[in-house]
Amino acid sequence: MEAKSERRSERSKFSRMMNENNNAFKNVRRKPGLQIWTVNKMQMDPVPPQAFGNFFEGDCYIVLYISENKGSRQSADIHYWVGRTSSQDEQGAAAIYVTQLDEYLGGSPVQYREVQGYESPRFRSYFKNGLIYKKGGVASGFNHVETNAYNVLRLLHVKGRKDVTATEVEVSWSSFNKGDIFLLDIGKAIVQWNGPQSNRREKLKAVLLAQDIRDRERGGRAQIGVVEGGDERSSPELMKFLTTVLGPKPAQLKEATSDDVPDSAQKNSVRLYHVYDNSGNLVIQEVAKQPLTQDLLKSSDCFILDNKGSSVMVWKGKKASKEERQGAMNRALSYIKAKKYPASTTVEVMAEGAESAIFKHLFKSWTDRDQTQGLGTTHNVGKIAKVDDGKFDVMELHARPELAAQYRMVDDASGDVKVWCIENLELAEIDPKTYGQFYGGDCYLVLYSYKRAGQQQYILYMWQGRHATSDEIAASAFQAVNIDNKYNGAPVQVRVVMGKEPRHFLAIFKGKLIIFEGGTGRPGVVNPAKDARLFQVRGTNELNTKATEVVARAASLSSNDVFLLKTDNISYLWYGKGCNGDEREMGKAMSDVLSRHEKRVVMEGQEPAEFWIALGGKGSYASDRRFEREEPLHSPRLFECSNQTGRFKITEVDDFAQCDLDEDDVMLLDTWEELFLWIGNSSYEYETKEALNSARDYLRTHPAGRDPDTPIIFVKQGYEPPTFTGWFNAWDPHKWSGGNSYEEMKNKLSDSTSISQITLDLKNTKLNKTPAGGGGGGYRAPGGPLTSPPPNKAYFQDETDFFPRPSSPTRPQSGMSSSSPSSLSSSGAGKFFDPELLVNKTPDELPEGVDATQKEDYLSDLDFENLLSTTRADFQRLPKWRQNDLKKKAGIF
């Protein structure tokens, strides 16, 4: 009871403090874009755009993202980010600010709780180049970013291929390992060191992060260099830079650490709970488990959806009380604690009418307010533009790929068609007169050719009959590979399951697609005779019509459709009461293809006795007038399928764009009616195979009870059809034409000459100067507070102080160092001397013309490095009192 009272008191204190500040949200902009605040002394302090993506581990942040989709109103997402070492007070203040900001914006935003290291895909999507975790926090002295400020010294440990994080670590070789990437940032120069076991994608993401730091924090003026950890000899100047700052590299570095985060998802189903407070006690009442239906959500209540323990979502009904809506986030946190889920479990809070795409995907069907059905009607899908009311015009498909994607049509189906059947496991061409007739006992390959922007394009459909043998199915896949190779990998491959034909497949047969339940169309083979055959005809025009053979029984009829009953002597064209004129016309056209016999039109309810006799007797059937059968529209989702870490895994990419398509991997795009598998040029064959298996598992285990026979379409990089590209905003067909690979971007970076000059500049500081503005060895990283100098990292006044001075003068030796290069230092000393002539010498003992205060200028680079290594090692061997004495002399204390 005391703990509860204490918490209430703390919440009241925060509320009073915030209510007194009526201007808390005066700087909140309602324009599309990203806004970030940090919680400082219980107040919201704005973070400048230059510091976006930098997060201090000791702080909490509030992140607001407002988006505006074409043809729809604005939507907003509010995140509060919890740093690993942030205080409970800051966390409580951030949570309350989020609730108040939600009300300020009308209660429609989706709220998220983000924990450092476990951020949601949505949150990470705002920071495409990665997140940077910084030591310290606001309490240690937050300062705004000053662009072009070079008072920096930090080492960033970069991890991740898709979701990149960079954490500040000790500026020392001891922080390095063989599997990750490290950025040494001193302000004017950023050197990237790639672990020998890191992969190309990780290297590319690190380069992009280094460029982002350079452009956003340094005004584009910093130099960038890259060192391959497995081939350091090829970058001698860059290694010289690293050893100048970090000291000599040890012979062995730590082994690589795994990037994989343990899967904490619970092995249970998606469940919906009604959570409410009963006299101060939290009551959790299960409502249903998957598959869920939208009607379970009641506007008068709040509900919690548990997504298998991986995330917890709170839905706030419009008519729920103000107290329930405001306490939604706390309810979710209490639920997580009650379920003993990890504290890092993702939390989303959303209002009725403002549900997130992922939330909707967890329901078997979902209809938004004012949503209508059918082609040419209004739908809003993520980034896809609103489709205006009016006649469906296929000629617009190439000009508007978003239409092609929504209608699943690459063109107007006027291209060339070629069809093969699998016979004796080989390809056999089909007579064009029988194109469109598919038998359930066969497998077919259909090659469709068309032109787009003057270039030849191909789609290869693999139609697999329900009664085909496993050998025939395997042969169809094998022959598809042969055809694909014949066209140099250009065809888009589509696996079609009998009865699940995609729209474009229907269109290319111009209203004459007929699916026979069994048998074969092979020449010379006689199919078993049947007394009667019944075909269901569905479609309103030649682009969407097909006839499917069903069991010739009365129970197969439906009032919503047209049916053709074919007997030995006569064919009946049966019109259900729910079908329209267009469907009747297509039924009539299809009957001419199916039967040469006399056709007799029969209206539902006026059937002759012979009709029922042919069906084996009159019986009951589906006679309810239909509602629109169009699948409810869902926002598309993109997933990365990768084996780069040695273990195959699938990761969702939120708010996706073309740049998220990883050339090294296979990507899965779920558009609900179809699944696309996009094959990157550098992906492994194993990934492609596993991606197909995972796509099937994805459909089979989907909480919304998806159709396991949903078409799966293979798309190769560089050969994307508009039905795929239309789901992406501003698709660039030339993106992969060159210039964006890791090797190409690496070659564009600074050459070693610029870094070499910075190395010399470092030497010329004599190691006696702390980084500019650092004050006593500290430094200000961009957008952050003054922090302590790296542990065990001292800046010394004069390297010669670390050698014991001789009790008597040493006789000087003549001659120049043999290791001296021909190039001279920028000081203009004119020549280099052997270290023995300079080290531990009084001014009188130095060679003629040597400035006693600038002795390092007379050392070659190699001698300077060797001397520096020795002096540091000797320093560590000195007694503690001597080390402290030297540090005091250097101004460290």
Side-chain angles (χ1 to χ4, degrees):
M1 291 297 291
E2 290 181 5
K4 280 187 178 180
S5 176
E6 198 172 308
R7 285 197 296 271
R8 289 195 198 99
S9 175
E10 288 297 317
R11 285 196 292 267
S12 298
K13 180 180 71 174
F14 292 141
S15 297
R16 284 195 304 271
M17 186 177 299
M18 294 175 188
N19 289 331
E20 289 171 1
N21 183 10
N22 296 323
N23 297 321
F25 306 122
K26 66 179 181 181
N27 294 321
V28 175
R29 303 186 308 275
R30 293 178 182 264
K31 296 180 180 179
L34 188 65
Q35 301 171 67
I36 303 179
W37 298 266
T38 185
V39 177
N40 182 14
K41 297 180 180 179
M42 307 307 167
Q43 303 298 319
M44 287 174 57
D45 280 353
V47 175
Q50 299 98 315
F52 284 5
N54 292 270
F55 293 89
F56 286 92
E57 296 180 338
D59 289 341
C60 291
Y61 291 79
I62 296 170
V63 177
L64 170 64
Y65 183 75
I66 297 177
S67 57
E68 187 169 26
N69 297 322
K70 294 180 181 178
S72 65
R73 56 191 175 88
Q74 287 185 344
S75 62
D77 296 282
I78 306 174
H79 308 253
Y80 80 92
W81 184 89
V82 178
R84 182 172 55 85
T85 59
S86 60
S87 68
Q88 290 295 322
D89 285 354
E90 288 174 323
Q91 294 178 28
I96 293 175
Y97 266 127
V98 164
T99 300
Q100 293 192 345
L101 181 57
D102 177 78
E103 292 183 359
Y104 178 78
L105 295 173
S108 62
V110 178
Q111 301 174 36
Y112 302 79
R113 176 178 176 268
E114 310 285 355
V115 177
Q116 179 182 339
Y118 298 91
E119 294 84 0
S120 66
R122 181 70 175 168
F123 184 85
R124 290 180 179 273
S125 72
Y126 308 144
F127 311 100
K128 293 292 187 183
N129 290 319
L131 302 172
I132 299 177
Y133 301 142
K134 304 162 108 32
K135 303 294 183 184
V138 172
S140 55
F142 181 83
N143 279 275
H144 293 305
V145 171
E146 293 181 12
T147 304
N148 306 336
Y150 301 108
N151 50 336
V152 178
L153 174 61
R154 62 177 176 178
L155 182 64
L156 295 175
H157 180 187
V158 183
K159 289 181 70 71
R161 301 176 55 259
K162 182 65 67 177
D163 299 325
V164 175
T165 59
T167 306
E168 287 186 359
V169 293
E170 178 187 343
V171 185
S172 167
W173 284 112
S174 63
S175 299
F176 286 62
N177 68 62
K178 297 177 182 179
D180 293 328
I181 296 172
F182 295 81
L183 299 181
L184 179 60
D185 180 8
I186 69 162
K188 291 184 179 180
I190 303 172
V191 172
Q192 174 177 327
W193 184 88
N194 298 327
Q197 297 171 17
S198 60
N199 61 54
R200 185 175 58 181
R201 181 65 179 176
E202 292 171 323
K203 296 174 184 179
L204 175 60
K205 297 296 284 188
V207 166
L208 294 173
L209 176 60
Q211 290 180 330
D212 183 55
I213 293 172
R214 176 196 65 190
D215 298 338
R216 186 160 47 88
E217 300 180 1
R218 312 287 153 71
R221 292 179 173 85
Q223 304 296 326
I224 300 177
V226 179
V227 176
E228 299 296 342
D231 186 25
E232 293 173 346
R233 292 183 179 180
S234 64
S235 307
E237 295 297 334
L238 296 176
M239 281 305 297
K240 194 174 295 182
F241 172 89
L242 290 175
T243 55
T244 298
V245 179
L246 302 172
K249 182 189 172 189
Q252 288 294 329
L253 297 176
K254 291 182 292 188
E255 291 299 322
T257 57
S258 174
D259 287 341
D260 287 340
V261 177
D263 185 5
S264 59
Q266 310 300 308
K267 302 302 181 182
N268 54 17
S269 57
V270 174
R271 296 173 186 266
L272 185 69
Y273 296 91
H274 180 207
V275 182
Y276 58 95
D277 186 82
N278 184 8
S279 302
N281 296 316
L282 184 69
V283 179
I284 303 174
Q285 180 180 359
E286 183 174 330
V287 177
K289 62 181 179 181
Q290 69 182 54
L292 303 176
T293 55
Q294 190 177 356
D295 62 318
L296 294 169
L297 302 170
K298 308 299 181 184
S299 295
S300 58
D301 291 319
C302 292
F303 293 85
I304 283 183
L305 190 150
D306 187 341
N307 187 13
K308 302 182 180 180
S310 62
S311 64
V312 171
M313 305 176 182
V314 184
W315 184 87
K316 302 181 295 183
K318 289 182 177 179
K319 298 180 182 178
S321 66
K322 183 177 180 180
E323 291 73 18
E324 281 188 308
R325 293 197 306 271
Q326 288 183 341
M329 182 65 76
N330 286 333
R331 293 267 174 83
L333 297 178
S334 298
Y335 174 83
I336 288 173
K337 189 175 294 185
K339 286 286 189 177
K340 297 182 179 179
Y341 288 166
S344 58
T345 301
T346 301
V347 176
E348 294 182 30
V349 179
M350 64 204 73
E352 181 179 358
E355 296 84 1
S356 66
I358 294 178
F359 184 84
K360 295 176 185 178
H361 261 259
L362 297 175
F363 288 78
K364 188 171 180 61
S365 62
W366 189 277
T367 304
D368 288 324
R369 185 181 59 181
D370 300 328
Q371 177 178 314
T372 54
Q373 303 288 348
L375 293 178
T377 53
T378 303
H379 295 294
N380 294 316
V381 186
K383 308 180 191 66
I384 306 303
K386 183 169 98 172
V387 180
D388 299 324
D389 290 333
K391 186 177 180 180
F392 173 56
D393 183 2
V394 293
M395 300 308 293
E396 288 189 71
L397 293 177
H398 294 315
R400 297 177 63 191
E402 68 270 17
L403 284 179
Q406 184 168 330
Y407 296 149
R408 276 77 177 178
M409 295 284 287
V410 298
D411 69 347
D412 59 358
S414 61
D416 296 327
V417 181
K418 194 170 185 179
V419 184
W420 297 269
C421 180
I422 300 296
E423 290 186 20
N424 299 320
L425 308 185
E426 298 293 335
L427 286 179
E429 287 195 37
I430 297 295
D431 184 349
K433 295 180 181 179
T434 63
Y435 278 8
Q437 299 178 24
F438 292 82
Y439 290 82
D442 290 333
C443 288
Y444 298 83
L445 295 182
V446 178
L447 181 66
Y448 180 78
S449 308
Y450 66 105
K451 285 191 175 182
R452 178 160 58 95
Q455 293 187 343
Q456 196 70 31
Q457 308 287 330
Y458 305 94
I459 300 177
L460 180 60
Y461 292 101
M462 297 169 283
W463 191 93
Q464 299 171 348
R466 184 179 295 119
H467 306 294
T469 66
S470 57
D471 287 345
E472 289 172 329
I473 293 174
S476 69
F478 176 78
Q479 296 296 343
V481 172
N482 289 339
I483 294 177
D484 183 75
N485 291 336
K486 180 180 177 180
Y487 291 92
N488 298 318
V492 172
Q493 296 183 37
V494 185
R495 172 180 168 268
V496 180
V497 175
M498 177 177 172
K500 306 294 180 181
E501 293 78 15
R503 297 181 191 179
H504 187 260
F505 188 84
L506 270 61
I508 62 179
F509 295 105
K510 306 296 188 296
K512 298 179 180 179
L513 177 62
I514 304 170
I515 310 297
F516 295 94
E517 174 58 28
T520 178
R522 301 170 198 168
V525 178
V526 178
N527 292 310
K530 294 183 180 181
D531 293 335
R533 306 186 80 165
L534 183 64
F535 296 86
Q536 182 181 32
V537 182
R538 298 186 66 180
T540 58
N541 56 56
E542 67 175 15
L543 295 176
N544 61 15
T545 298
K546 71 173 178 178
T548 305
E549 184 176 8
V550 294
V551 179
R553 292 288 183 267
S556 299
L557 297 174
S558 170
S559 295
N560 297 317
D561 295 315
V562 175
F563 286 81
L564 177 72
L565 177 61
K566 182 180 178 182
T567 67
D568 291 336
N569 302 317
I570 191 172
S571 294
Y572 297 94
L573 192 58
W574 186 86
Y575 293 150
K577 294 179 180 179
C579 65
N580 58 39
D582 289 338
E583 290 171 318
R584 294 189 189 107
E585 285 298 318
M586 292 311 301
K588 184 179 179 181
M590 187 66 76
S591 69
D592 292 336
V593 179
L594 278 167
S595 174
R596 297 178 181 176
H597 295 152
E598 176 191 355
K599 284 93 176 178
R600 180 177 175 183
V601 175
V602 177
M603 304 300 293
E604 182 180 4
Q606 301 177 16
E607 301 86 355
E610 295 82 6
F611 177 86
W612 295 117
I613 292 173
L615 289 177
K618 190 174 183 179
S620 61
Y621 57 86
S623 57
D624 291 337
R625 289 291 187 94
R626 71 169 166 217
F627 296 99
E628 292 290 349
R629 279 192 301 257
E630 292 292 336
E631 288 291 330
L633 218 57
H634 288 76
S635 295
R637 301 173 70 185
L638 182 69
F639 300 85
E640 177 191 38
C641 308
S642 173
N643 188 46
Q644 293 286 341
T645 62
R647 182 173 68 88
F648 185 82
K649 60 188 294 189
I650 293 182
T651 308
E652 182 163 9
V653 181
D654 200 276
D655 193 27
F656 62 83
Q658 184 183 1
C659 62
D660 292 309
L661 296 176
D662 191 337
E663 296 180 73
D664 293 332
D665 291 325
V666 175
M667 310 294 290
L668 187 155
L669 178 66
D670 179 9
T671 65
W672 198 262
E673 285 191 31
E674 298 164 330
L675 289 187
F676 290 91
L677 284 178
W678 181 89
I679 314 300
N681 285 339
S682 300
S683 61
Y684 298 122
E685 182 180 351
Y686 173 81
E687 289 174 331
T688 304
K689 179 181 178 181
E690 286 302 309
L692 176 59
N693 293 333
S694 295
R696 292 169 176 164
D697 288 342
Y698 172 80
L699 291 170
R700 181 177 54 81
T701 62
H702 198 284
R706 298 280 291 279
D707 187 342
D709 290 332
T710 298
I712 299 175
I713 302 172
F714 284 81
V715 177
K716 294 186 181 65
Q717 179 183 336
Y719 298 97
E720 297 83 1
T723 47
F724 178 84
T725 63
W727 298 107
F728 295 80
N729 189 30
W731 180 270
D732 178 10
H734 305 295
K735 174 177 172 58
W736 293 295
S737 60
N740 293 312
S741 70
Y742 165 68
E743 289 77 12
E744 290 166 326
M745 294 194 71
K746 176 183 173 183
N747 292 334
K748 293 177 184 177
L749 298 176
S750 310
D751 59 23
S752 59
T753 305
S754 302
I755 303 293
S756 177
Q757 182 58 48
I758 294 173
T759 306
L760 287 174
D761 292 342
L762 283 175
K763 288 184 184 180
N764 291 335
T765 64
K766 297 188 299 181
L767 294 179
N768 70 327
K769 300 173 184 176
T770 58
Y779 66 97
R780 287 193 198 284
L786 180 69
T787 62
S788 303
N792 303 322
K793 187 76 177 174
Y795 296 87
F796 307 115
Q797 184 177 15
D798 191 332
E799 66 276 4
T800 60
D801 286 337
F802 303 124
F803 287 99
R805 292 192 180 278
S807 56
S808 59
T810 304
R811 181 178 176 179
Q813 300 177 12
S814 61
M816 294 174 62
S817 169
S818 60
S819 61
S820 302
S822 58
S823 60
L824 303 177
S825 71
S826 59
S827 66
K831 59 182 179 180
F832 298 111
F833 291 90
D834 191 291
E836 294 186 12
L837 299 177
L838 304 174
V839 176
N840 297 324
K841 304 300 181 184
T842 64
D844 294 335
E845 297 170 339
L846 292 173
E848 185 178 354
V850 172
D851 184 350
T853 64
Q854 301 285 338
K855 288 188 287 184
E856 65 273 20
D857 289 350
Y858 301 88
L859 291 171
S860 70
D861 287 348
L862 180 59
D863 286 337
F864 181 87
E865 293 297 337
N866 292 335
L867 179 64
L868 196 60
S869 302
T870 306
T871 56
R872 283 189 174 129
D874 287 345
F875 174 75
Q876 296 298 330
R877 287 193 290 268
L878 291 175
K880 198 69 176 178
W881 65 268
R882 179 57 175 154
Q883 291 184 25
N884 291 338
D885 182 63
L886 292 170
K887 287 180 180 180
K888 287 178 181 178
K889 181 180 179 182
I892 300 302
F893 294 161

